[in-house]
Amino acid sequence: MDAVFALVDCENFYVSCERVFDPSLRDVPMVVLSNNDGCIIARSAAVKDAGVPMGAPYFQWAETLDAMGTAVRSSNYALYGDMSRRVMTELEAEALRLERYSIDEAFLTLPALAPDALRRQARRIQRRVRRRQGVPIRVGIGPTKTLAKVADERAKGHDGRYVCPTGDALAAVLRTLPVGEVWGIGPAYSSLLAEHGVTTAEGLRQCPDAWLRKHLTVVGLRVATELRGTPCLELEDAPAPRKSMIRSRSFSGRLYALGDLREAVATHAQRAAEKLRAEELVAGRLGVFVTTKKFGDPPHYSNAAGAPLRPATNQTPTLLDVAGTLLRAVYRDGPAYKKAGVRLQALRPEGTGQGHLFREDTDEDEALMAAVDRLNREMGRGTVGFAAAGVAGRRDWTMKREMRSPHYTTRWADLPEARA
DNA sequence: TCTGGGGTCCTAGGACCC
DNA sequence: TCTGGGGTCCTAGGACCC
């Protein structure tokens, strides 16, 4: 059966999640902040209308937002992750196939019905998610993923649903779409295209293949081909195995001493190792990076180093050891460090690939890790840890998250109460 | 004073091998 | 003075995404 793509996008997702559980937020402008309460990463309609851009630093807009009576929340990823799963379950019931594209977006395939029937189906999906989970969504439908994305953009002015037209009507739509708003065309490709006189999606569609291939790599060629209506990107309903994992945080203040950075890096390494074991993976490579702030006056300093792990492992002591060595290699005395992190790469499932002739993880190692994980799972994160990561409570580099909402759906103590 | 975090894919170039 | 050619693997860096 012929199928079309639909992109479903949750409107102002984090804001919408907060509003589901706190009705007093529904009629006021609202934003949700990134970690460290640094950037604005979700905005209600009123805040968007006021011209506050996505990703803007909060401190630059705090006064404006306050004057509007804006409610402000720190991000609560436990809540958003759980709400995302609920929404995806609803969408699954309405789709032929579904790909979870991000926490707040999914690609669906739908039977290739006439446009009117597709619009009705889009409306049904919107109502279902709204009624059962309280989250408003938009639905954009087209013959390729990229055109479904275009349709999703257009849906903003059309009750949150839009079916991509064909022929001249499509060309007319694409002529009004700035090329930088096309999925896959970022700032660098945008300005490169502009230098060659291409400023709209329609212009991109008409670029010669060879030129695209040369200047925008196969990525750009695929985008253009998809805009022409020929699918290049499949629906990925089986999630691809993860290839890398990053754990990092900005510090709420600045750090100078190697000892402080060592605690931060060790904490990230420890968390990454736990996550690795939870997903039954081992890492074949470990990287450590440090950086000073990105903005303001130079000098800035950032550095990174990596090393292979032989054999690939998920054992905390090994990762702490290697991370410590790499940190000494990237650390310089002097810079005001703002961020540090750990990256695990070359991930593969436990028990696959080559072992190591002289250094196998022993049963005792694995038993120890299993015991640590169980204690932390059952008694709360941080119950047992490694000394290298420092002692919770006396760390002075942990992040700021001063306005977080309760864990409504994932912690018993935070469950909302209903009163008659 | 205050600017997030976590991913993927593609390409070029070096190391290494025969 | 003369100094091959082709293949694979790995890594770093750039670009993009939400």
Side-chain angles (χ1 to χ4, degrees):
Chain A
M1 178 177 36
D2 260 9
V4 292
F5 290 96
L7 178 74
V8 171
D9 165 291
C10 298
E11 289 194 288
N12 322 328
F13 184 53
Y14 300 166
V15 163
S16 298
C17 290
E18 298 286 348
R19 284 174 165 173
V20 168
F21 293 95
D22 185 347
S24 73
L25 298 172
R26 285 177 201 175
D27 300 318
V28 293
M30 180 175 176
V31 296
V32 174
L33 305 181
S34 65
N35 284 318
N36 262 323
D37 296 339
C39 297
I40 296 162
I41 54 170
R43 306 154 294 160
S44 70
V47 174
K48 288 178 186 173
D49 291 346
V52 180
M54 175 68 174
Y58 173 56
F59 75 92
Q60 285 177 358
W61 292 89
E63 220 170 298
T64 309
L65 293 170
D66 196 46
M68 293 169 59
T70 307
V72 180
R73 289 288 180 277
S74 306
S75 42
N76 180 348
Y77 289 104
L79 176 66
Y80 312 147
D82 191 54
M83 288 298 289
S84 174
R85 275 188 295 280
R86 291 162 192 253
V87 169
M88 297 292 171
T89 303
E90 304 297 344
L91 297 178
E92 246 158 8
E94 297 282 345
L96 296 174
R97 293 162 63 205
L98 176 139
E99 170 187 341
R100 293 169 189 236
Y101 177 64
S102 73
I103 194 166
D104 68 338
E105 282 179 45
F107 283 105
L108 282 54
T109 48
L110 302 173
L113 308 171
D116 274 344
L118 286 172
R119 273 186 281 274
R120 282 196 297 277
Q121 180 156 10
R123 183 147 175 260
R124 191 171 68 235
I125 298 172
Q126 284 180 301
R127 283 182 162 171
R128 177 187 183 119
V129 175
R130 186 61 188 255
R131 199 175 61 241
R132 298 167 79 129
Q133 302 302 338
V135 175
I137 60 169
R138 283 195 309 267
V139 183
I141 296 176
T144 66
K145 281 182 160 181
T146 304
L147 285 171
K149 275 277 200 180
V150 169
D152 177 65
E153 263 304 301
R154 293 285 291 186
K156 283 174 185 170
H158 295 81
D159 293 325
R161 48 187 180 270
Y162 189 82
V163 178
C164 219
T166 56
D168 291 346
L170 175 57
V173 167
L174 295 182
R175 265 194 293 275
T176 67
L177 184 65
V179 73
E181 289 177 24
V182 174
W183 188 45
I185 304 298
Y189 285 174
S190 257
S191 53
L192 193 150
L193 285 162
E195 282 168 27
H196 291 83
V198 177
T199 55
T200 69
E202 180 61 15
L204 174 60
R205 205 159 69 130
Q206 289 171 3
C207 286
D209 286 1
W211 188 90
L212 288 167
R213 178 71 180 76
K214 180 167 175 212
H215 292 94
L216 274 62
T217 80
V218 299
V219 175
L221 178 56
R222 276 201 290 254
V223 172
T225 308
E226 287 237 321
L227 284 177
R228 296 173 195 144
T230 306
C232 300
L233 305 169
E234 299 292 312
L235 190 95
E236 314 275 350
D237 48 1
R242 174 210 280 282
K243 294 178 176 165
S244 71
M245 178 185 295
I246 294 174
R247 279 292 168 276
S248 74
R249 285 286 180 276
S250 297
F251 313 128
S252 49
R254 302 244 164 70
L255 297 186
Y256 297 87
L258 178 60
D260 288 338
L261 284 171
R262 194 184 290 133
E263 275 194 14
V265 165
T267 300
H268 295 318
Q270 188 174 303
R271 291 277 301 119
E274 275 171 27
K275 184 125 202 248
L276 216 47
R277 294 192 295 271
E279 298 183 18
E280 302 183 343
L281 298 169
V282 289
R285 188 177 176 81
L286 187 154
V288 167
F289 56 91
V290 294
T291 176
T292 58
K293 66 169 182 169
K294 289 185 285 194
F295 304 94
D297 300 330
H300 304 310
Y301 175 75
S302 73
N303 202 353
L309 298 167
R310 299 205 176 89
T313 184
N314 58 20
Q315 300 292 301
T316 306
T318 309
L319 298 182
L320 286 175
D321 199 38
V322 176
T325 305
L326 290 171
L327 176 62
R328 281 192 293 280
V330 297
Y331 177 82
R332 302 280 178 279
D333 194 14
Y337 292 98
K338 186 63 181 162
K339 181 175 178 174
V342 160
R343 179 195 321 260
L344 297 176
Q345 295 164 285
L347 306 187
R348 54 177 174 73
E350 261 174 333
T352 63
Q354 291 179 326
H356 194 280
L357 193 51
F358 303 109
R359 240 182 36 224
E360 272 300 346
D361 291 335
T362 64
D363 291 346
E364 292 84 54
D365 293 333
E366 283 172 22
L368 174 63
M369 289 303 103
V372 166
D373 289 342
R374 192 162 56 79
L375 281 168
N376 285 329
R377 201 166 49 237
E378 290 174 4
M379 320 223 7
R381 179 179 301 167
T383 301
V384 196
F386 287 77
V391 178
R394 46 166 288 267
R395 295 171 189 158
D396 48 10
W397 47 269
T398 51
M399 73 173 159
K400 209 165 50 175
R401 198 152 61 177
E402 289 167 349
M403 298 165 275
R404 202 194 60 213
S405 53
H407 290 91
Y408 293 113
T409 64
T410 53
R411 191 181 284 170
W412 286 112
D414 290 352
L415 201 64
E417 290 172 28
R419 296 196 183 84

